[in-house]
Amino acid sequence: MRKHEDFCNFETLQKSNSTINIIMKKVTIRQAIQNLAILKLSTFLFILSTLSSCGGKYYSKTANGIKTKSVNLVTISIIDSNAVYVSNGKFCETEGKCRFEVNETDNSISLHSQCIDIDININDISGKGIKFYCDGNELLDGDCNYGLGNGKSLLSDKGFGKFWDESGYFVITGKNIESVLKSYNKIRKGSAIIPKWALGHWQGTKSGNPIEVLKRLRKEHFGVDNIIGMNFSGDTKVASDEMKKLNGRLATSKKDSGCEAFWFADTNITKNGNISNSNGRRMFCISKCNVVNYNNDSHNSNNQLSWNTLRSDIENIINYSLSGEQYCASIIGDKIEDQELLTRYYQFSAFTPIFCSLFEGERDNRIDYSNKMRYGLIPYIYSLCGTSFLTGTTLIKPLSMYYPGTETIKDQYMFGPSMMICPIYNGNGKREIILPEGNIWYNFHNPSKIYEGGQTICIDSDKIPVFIPGGGIVISGQKNEYVGEIRKDDRVDLDIDIYAGSDNAFEIYDDDGVSDKYLQGEYSIIPVEYIESPRTIIIGTRKGKFSGMIPNRNVHIAVYDKGKKKAINVYYEGARIKISL
C-alpha cells in the first residue's frame, strides 16, 4: 500500500540538488562530465518520484481532492473537514484547503479527512462502490429518516446527510441534523431572506380581472398580499401598478412582466424562491420546486386533494424544509368540495412558510380566523427567516431536533423554537397528540390549559392544535390585512408572549423587507431573554439599523404561568430594559 499526502513537498528535492553540488566539487571535471548524464537521469527520476506523490495508479490529485482515472470518471472534492462533494467530473470550489490523505491498493482508493473517510472500489465505481464512514461507522442511506429520497436529499438523526444537485451530491456529517443543515447552507452561501410581503396570503384566481378580486378581498377585510392571475392576459405592468395602490401585488408567470411576484415561472430563475432584480429589490416566485403537493399534470397544482394528501403534506413540509427548500408551500387547491377538508388545509397552510390558496368559494369563520392569526404572527415568522439567514437553520423542523426520542413522529412539527404544530387531518375534528417529555405545554389558543410532557392526549378542536413549550417566546403584532399595514390609530405595537417553565431567549429580526440591503448588514436585532428564577424579562439593546426602521415601539408583554396571565406595557426606544416580576 502506498500512502500519499495531499500536498507535494519539494524540500527533499532541493536538499538533493545541494548534495549534487557538493559531490561535483569533490570530483574531477572529467568525472563530472562522465557522470553528468547519470546525474541528470537520477535527478529526473527523483523529480518524477516526488511528483508521483501527487497521484497514483487509479487517481490524480486536484486542488482539493482527487479524480479517478477509470472510464467512469468520479471526482471527490473535500469541501470542509466534515463535507465532501462527489460528482462525475464537476469540481466544487472551496475557500481554503482541507488536509486529507489518500491510500491506494490494487483495487481501491481510500481518502481520509478529519471527519469523513471514503472507500472507493475501483471495480464498482459507478454502482455502490463508494462508501462513507465517520468515526468508523458507515453512513448508510437506510439509516436516513428524513429527506425527499435518494437522488434528492437524505438526512439521519445519527448526524449526517446527502444532498444532490444536477451534477453530483454532498455528504455532510455533524453532531446532529441541525449542524448538518447549517453546514449545507454554508456551502450554498446561506439562505436568502424572502421579501416580507411574500409571507402574506397568496390568493389564486381564474378571473381575468385580478384587480377586482383584490378589491373584493379588501372590502371583506380578508388578509391578502398577492393575487395570482392564473388566466390573466392583460397588461401586467398596468395591472401591477394599480394593485400596488391597493397594497397588493400581481403574481404572473411572465418573468419579464415588471412584476415582483411570480407564479410557476421558469424555475431556472430561482431555486429557493427568492429573486433579485437590477434595482436591488427582492422578488419572489412560487415555483414547482417549492410546492410539496404539486401535480405535474395540472396547472392547478393540487385539485385532487384529500385527507390522505393532507396527512402526507405534513410530513412532506418537514422533508422539504430539511432539504434546502425551506420556503415551501402546501397549496390549497381550487376544487375542494369538502368544507371541513378545505378548512383544515387553510389551518395547516397558515403555519407553513408560504401561505397560498387557489380556492375562490365560500369561506367559514375558521378560515378567516386562520388568516388573521397568520398576519398576527408575521413578526415571529420574519424573525425565523432572519435567523435562518444568519445561522443556516430552517423555519420548520421535526420534533427530534429539539426533543430526542421523537424521531418517529411525522405528523407534528416545530415552527420555530416556540410553536409545535399538530394539524388535524381527518373529518371528525379529533386527533392524538404526543407531548414530548421534559417540558410543560401550553395550548396556544387557550394558554390557561397546561399539559405535562411525556404523555399522549386526544384533542377535539375546531382550531388547529398548537402548543407552546414552557419557556416559549412568541412575538406577534397587529392582525393586519396586508404586510406592513399601519392603521391610523396604530402605534406599531409589538406583543411578546412568554410561557413560563424554563429560561429562554429569542431574537426579533427586522429589515426594510423589500431590498437586498440586509446582505450589506442593514438590519436590526432586538434580543429578548426570559429568566425563570428570579422571574425576569430583559429586552436587550437593539443591534444594527436600516432605512425606514421604526425606532420606538409600544411593547405589550404577557407572561402565562399556571393558568394565570400577567401583562406589562413598556415603551422601547432601543435601549436595554429589565423587568422583574
Side-chain angles (χ1 to χ4, degrees):
M1 179 179 291
R2 296 193 298 271
K3 182 176 180 180
H4 306 295
E5 295 292 335
D6 57 326
F7 299 113
C8 300
N9 192 335
F10 292 94
E11 290 181 3
T12 306
L13 178 61
Q14 293 170 349
K15 291 178 180 178
S16 176
N17 286 334
S18 298
T19 303
I20 292 172
N21 292 333
I22 294 172
I23 293 174
M24 290 183 69
K25 289 180 181 179
K26 292 183 178 181
V27 298
T28 65
I29 298 298
R30 180 179 179 181
Q31 289 173 322
I33 293 173
Q34 290 175 344
N35 293 325
L36 183 59
I38 298 174
L39 288 170
K40 286 183 177 180
L41 178 61
S42 299
T43 302
F44 172 77
L45 292 175
F46 185 85
I47 293 172
L48 185 63
S49 174
T50 304
L51 289 173
S52 70
S53 66
C54 291
K57 180 179 179 181
Y58 298 116
Y59 72 95
S60 58
K61 298 297 275 298
T62 65
N64 62 335
I66 68 167
K67 177 173 64 176
T68 64
K69 295 179 179 180
S70 62
V71 175
N72 297 306
L73 175 66
V74 171
T75 61
I76 296 180
S77 304
I78 309 299
I79 307 301
D80 207 337
S81 61
N82 68 325
V84 300
Y85 180 70
V86 182
S87 76
N88 57 1
K90 176 183 175 181
F91 296 99
C92 189
E93 298 294 332
T94 58
E95 294 181 357
K97 290 185 178 294
C98 297
R99 300 287 301 183
F100 66 94
E101 295 180 351
V102 186
N103 296 328
E104 186 180 60
T105 65
D106 290 338
N107 59 5
S108 69
I109 305 170
S110 297
L111 274 77
H112 307 281
S113 65
Q114 182 176 341
C115 298
I116 300 180
D117 295 330
I118 309 170
D119 285 346
I120 304 172
N121 184 340
I122 297 300
N123 299 320
D124 188 26
I125 203 166
S126 62
K128 298 181 179 180
I130 304 180
K131 297 182 178 181
F132 304 89
Y133 300 84
C134 182
D135 295 331
N137 300 312
E138 186 174 358
L139 309 182
L140 299 170
D141 291 357
D143 288 337
C144 295
N145 48 347
Y146 296 107
L148 299 176
N150 204 312
K152 294 183 178 179
S153 61
L154 292 170
L155 294 97
S156 171
D157 278 305
K158 294 183 178 181
F160 69 90
K162 281 186 177 181
F163 304 89
W164 278 261
D165 64 12
E166 65 279 0
S167 302
Y169 60 90
F170 296 92
V171 178
I172 303 173
T173 63
K175 294 180 180 180
N176 47 42
I177 289 181
E178 179 84 20
S179 61
V180 170
L181 279 174
K182 288 182 176 180
S183 293
Y184 179 51
N185 281 320
K186 178 183 177 182
I187 292 170
R188 299 170 69 220
K189 305 300 182 184
S191 180
I193 303 177
I194 66 176
K196 192 180 291 187
W197 50 259
L199 295 175
H201 181 216
W202 294 67
Q203 176 63 59
T205 179
K206 290 183 177 180
S207 165
N209 194 337
I211 299 175
E212 291 303 316
V213 174
L214 178 59
K215 288 180 178 179
R216 174 174 58 82
L217 294 176
R218 288 280 182 260
K219 186 176 180 180
E220 295 172 358
H221 302 291
F222 189 71
V224 65
D225 273 83
N226 310 286
I227 302 295
I228 303 168
M230 299 170 63
N231 294 333
F232 180 68
S233 59
D235 188 320
T236 53
K237 188 178 187 312
V238 171
S240 179
D241 290 344
E242 187 66 25
M243 293 175 71
K244 286 181 181 179
K245 296 176 183 178
L246 299 170
N247 298 293
R249 286 170 174 79
L250 172 65
T252 175
S253 61
K254 302 175 184 178
K255 66 179 181 180
D256 297 323
S257 62
C259 296
E260 295 178 322
F262 298 91
W263 164 254
F264 280 23
D266 179 4
T267 55
N268 291 327
I269 67 176
T270 174
K271 181 157 185 175
N272 67 352
N274 212 31
I275 321 167
S276 294
N277 66 12
S278 58
N279 296 322
R281 292 180 67 83
R282 283 174 265 175
M283 300 185 288
F284 188 80
C285 170
I286 294 184
S287 62
K288 294 178 229 182
C289 65
N290 303 102
V291 179
V292 304
N293 53 5
Y294 175 73
N295 180 350
N296 286 308
D297 297 325
S298 170
H299 186 71
N300 295 333
S301 283
N302 52 357
N303 54 11
Q304 301 297 323
L305 295 184
S306 66
W307 292 109
N308 288 334
T309 60
L310 176 55
R311 170 63 182 86
S312 63
D313 283 357
I314 300 168
E315 184 171 349
N316 287 338
I317 210 83
I318 299 172
N319 290 323
Y320 266 72
S321 295
L322 296 180
S323 302
E325 302 298 340
Q326 66 164 319
Y327 292 120
C328 46
S330 175
I331 294 179
I332 304 162
D334 65 332
K335 295 181 180 179
I336 303 179
E337 297 180 358
D338 186 331
Q339 179 64 44
E340 186 64 18
L341 175 62
L342 173 67
T343 298
R344 295 304 183 182
Y345 248 111
Y346 259 100
Q347 292 177 343
F348 165 54
S349 186
F351 286 95
T352 63
I354 303 300
F355 182 29
C356 180
S357 171
L358 307 182
F359 184 81
E360 298 186 77
E362 294 294 325
R363 310 182 306 267
D364 68 15
N365 56 4
R366 293 179 296 168
I367 290 176
D368 288 4
Y369 176 83
S370 298
N371 183 279
K372 291 182 182 299
M373 188 167 50
R374 169 70 176 210
Y375 274 89
L377 287 171
I378 292 296
Y380 175 80
I381 300 171
Y382 199 63
S383 293
L384 301 183
C385 297
T387 300
S388 174
F389 165 70
L390 294 171
T391 69
T393 189
T394 186
L395 281 68
I396 287 179
K397 301 177 183 179
L399 299 189
S400 60
M401 290 180 68
Y402 292 99
Y403 306 100
T406 60
E407 291 78 8
T408 61
I409 302 175
K410 302 295 181 68
D411 59 354
Q412 302 171 207
Y413 60 88
M414 298 299 296
F415 195 32
S418 298
M419 306 188 85
M420 182 173 71
I421 314 302
C422 312
I424 291 177
Y425 47 89
N426 58 61
N428 61 21
K430 300 178 182 179
R431 66 157 293 170
E432 288 188 343
I433 295 171
I434 298 175
L435 301 174
E437 63 182 351
N439 216 329
I440 58 174
W441 294 88
Y442 293 79
N443 185 321
F444 174 65
H445 305 290
N446 186 358
S448 64
K449 292 186 177 181
I450 306 172
Y451 304 85
E452 290 293 332
Q455 63 171 320
T456 299
I457 62 174
C458 184
I459 291 290
D460 184 352
S461 176
D462 62 348
K463 299 182 178 69
I464 181 173
V466 178
F467 291 86
I468 314 296
I473 300 174
V474 178
I475 311 300
S476 60
Q478 296 291 338
K479 297 178 175 61
N480 294 326
E481 295 176 15
Y482 58 88
V483 171
E485 178 186 10
I486 299 179
R487 302 171 187 172
K488 294 180 180 180
D489 60 345
D490 185 5
R491 295 174 296 177
V492 197
D493 293 358
L494 192 68
D495 294 304
I496 301 177
D497 292 338
I498 297 173
Y499 300 78
S502 65
D503 296 352
N504 203 358
F506 188 86
E507 290 187 336
I508 305 173
Y509 173 92
D510 202 7
D511 58 34
D512 64 25
V514 294
S515 79
D516 288 341
K517 292 181 180 179
Y518 72 95
L519 296 172
Q520 285 76 50
E522 292 194 25
Y523 58 83
S524 72
I525 292 176
I526 301 175
V528 178
E529 183 181 3
Y530 171 70
I531 301 171
E532 182 76 7
S533 181
R535 189 156 294 174
T536 306
I537 301 166
I538 300 173
I539 305 177
T541 301
R542 181 171 45 223
K543 306 172 186 176
K545 61 181 180 179
F546 58 90
S547 177
M549 182 181 74
I550 299 170
N552 306 325
R553 309 292 289 265
N554 292 289
V555 181
H556 306 293
I557 302 172
V559 179
Y560 298 95
D561 182 23
K562 298 178 181 179
K564 297 180 180 180
K565 172 184 176 181
K566 186 169 184 178
I568 304 167
N569 295 328
V570 298
Y571 190 65
Y572 181 73
E573 298 178 281
R576 184 176 184 267
I577 298 176
K578 182 177 180 180
I579 304 162
S580 299
L581 301 178

